[in-house]
């Protein structure tokens, strides 16, 4: 297809697509003569992915570019690509957690037999969030943390089972999309469930 | 305490605190003479809350101000204050969901007997996220959605049970803080659990 069709099918303006091409977010089309190029379904799919990452997951283009590099890197197994994409998704400046919160996260991870790859930011992110809660006098108790951990394990197992792609790039894209786009799903559901639990408690 | 002590104990610079006072995010201190005011633990606590909402939950000051108005509004029951704070936390421009996704969310809400207050954005946010996933060919199946919904219900029930405050403002602050600051906790745990499930699947 030509650029005009790529634009109408992806819902993105031509200048935006050209910008993604220049920035290397989108692979080049097949050259046809000196000034035209033709595009295929792989371009459309990548544009939809970029759009979902920016519009729904609200990532900046800079972070999208780093996540896509991990998806595209043929040297990474899909587990490593996931870890690598994950590492790029953490906050850029997590506040420093208290030693108590770090120790608490370490105990939790031992109890659950959770281990993380090198450079994964999630344990620090978790400890920083617990620090902030403790500073406000809203430290969650161990029962609540375990409820969260049970929920996280149940969801993760079900998600990993659901991956049926055998192609590495497809599988990595699935996991990255699932991680990012299912986060709004999970948070929206938690807020819905919370409003309902609160209404039923009728306090 | 004087402004200098409020600054050192909250970790916020004096000009920032003065800005919060002018913006109405922080209630005024007790005037002592023409140019000094004295502050108490309630000021410190409010500053810690503002800091947690901006640093950990990454809200803009504009949204923080709206959330605090809901917390402070004595005319709202704590359930209504929660709904009102929630409504202010949704994305400012959720993309339009497909009719299929809207219908799917309606079926889910009926199945779970979930009901939302007027103006609550979460059903639309959920439908928009499902639309985006469907557009990428990663539509989650009903089993995965139910796994999420079960997790959300388990977490919400446990959280509402954990609220022991009888004072309305304390209870609302607890729920708002819990909603916002426990989101990073839940997402970090899901990513940790996902890295682990992926490593164990060893694909």
């Amino acid at each position: 297809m030509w650029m005009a069709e790529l634009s109408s099918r992806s819902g993105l303006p031509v200048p935006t697509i050209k910008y993604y091409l220049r920035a290397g977010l989108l692979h080049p089309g097949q050259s046809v003569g000196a000034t035209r190029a033709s595009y295929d379904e792989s371009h459309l799919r990548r544009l939809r992915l970029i759009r979902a990452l920016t519009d729904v997951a609200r990532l900046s283009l800079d972070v999208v570019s780093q996540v896509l590099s991990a998806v595209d890197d043929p040297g990474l197994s899909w587990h490593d690509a996931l870890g690598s994409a994950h590492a790029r998704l953490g906050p850029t400046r997590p506040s420093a957690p208290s030693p108590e919160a770090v120790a608490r996260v370490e105990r939790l991870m031992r109890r659950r037999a959770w281990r993380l790859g090198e450079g994964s930011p999630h344990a620090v992110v978790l400890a920083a969030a617990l620090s902030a809660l403790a500073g406000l006098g809203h430290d969650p108790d161990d029962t609540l943390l375990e409820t969260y951990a049970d929920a996280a394990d149940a969801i993760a197992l079900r998600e990993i089972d659901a991956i049926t792609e055998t192609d590495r790039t497809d599988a990595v894209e699935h996991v990255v999309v699932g991680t990012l786009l299912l986060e709004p799903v999970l948070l929206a559901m938690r807020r819905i469930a919370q409003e309902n639990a609160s209404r039923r408690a009728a306090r």
Side-chain angles (χ1 to χ4, degrees), chain A residues 3-189:
Chain A
M3 177 59 85
E5 186 181 347
L6 188 61
S7 168
S8 71
R9 286 184 64 194
S10 67
L12 288 166
V14 171
T16 302
I17 298 175
K18 287 189 171 166
Y19 174 77
Y20 291 165
L21 282 165
R22 282 198 306 276
L25 292 173
L26 183 66
H27 47 292
Q30 177 101 35
S31 287
V32 179
T35 56
R36 298 191 89 182
S38 110
Y39 302 90
D40 59 28
E41 295 299 318
S42 72
H43 294 89
L44 189 59
R45 179 169 159 184
R46 176 52 58 103
L47 287 176
R48 285 189 178 140
L49 177 58
I50 296 172
R51 218 181 148 185
L53 294 177
T54 52
D55 284 7
V56 182
R58 294 172 188 274
L59 299 187
S60 68
L61 273 186
D62 188 43
V63 174
V64 168
S65 155
Q66 294 177 27
V67 168
L68 293 178
S69 317
V71 171
D72 292 337
D73 184 344
L76 294 176
S77 73
W78 77 255
H79 170 63
D80 289 338
L82 168 61
S84 176
H86 263 175
R88 289 169 170 77
L89 298 176
T92 46
R93 44 169 195 97
S95 43
S98 68
E100 292 75 24
V102 170
R104 194 170 182 201
V105 169
E106 280 168 4
R107 281 196 305 276
L108 174 76
M109 307 248 320
R110 262 199 306 277
R111 211 156 56 226
R112 315 279 318 184
W114 277 347
R115 282 171 47 213
L116 286 175
E118 283 289 318
S120 173
H122 306 310
V124 179
V125 170
L126 182 55
L130 292 177
S131 283
L133 283 160
L136 290 164
H138 293 293
D139 215 5
D141 62 25
D142 280 338
T143 317
L144 185 58
L145 276 196
E146 293 294 334
T147 304
Y148 272 62
D150 288 343
D153 266 340
I155 287 170
L157 285 174
R158 181 72 197 79
E159 282 171 342
I160 298 290
D161 274 355
I163 298 173
T164 51
E165 287 89 349
T166 47
D167 176 72
R168 196 203 66 92
T169 304
D170 286 353
V172 172
E173 183 186 311
H174 184 127
V175 172
V176 168
V177 167
T179 299
L180 290 169
L181 297 195
L182 286 169
E183 287 185 353
V185 170
L186 180 58
L187 295 186
M189 281 201 193

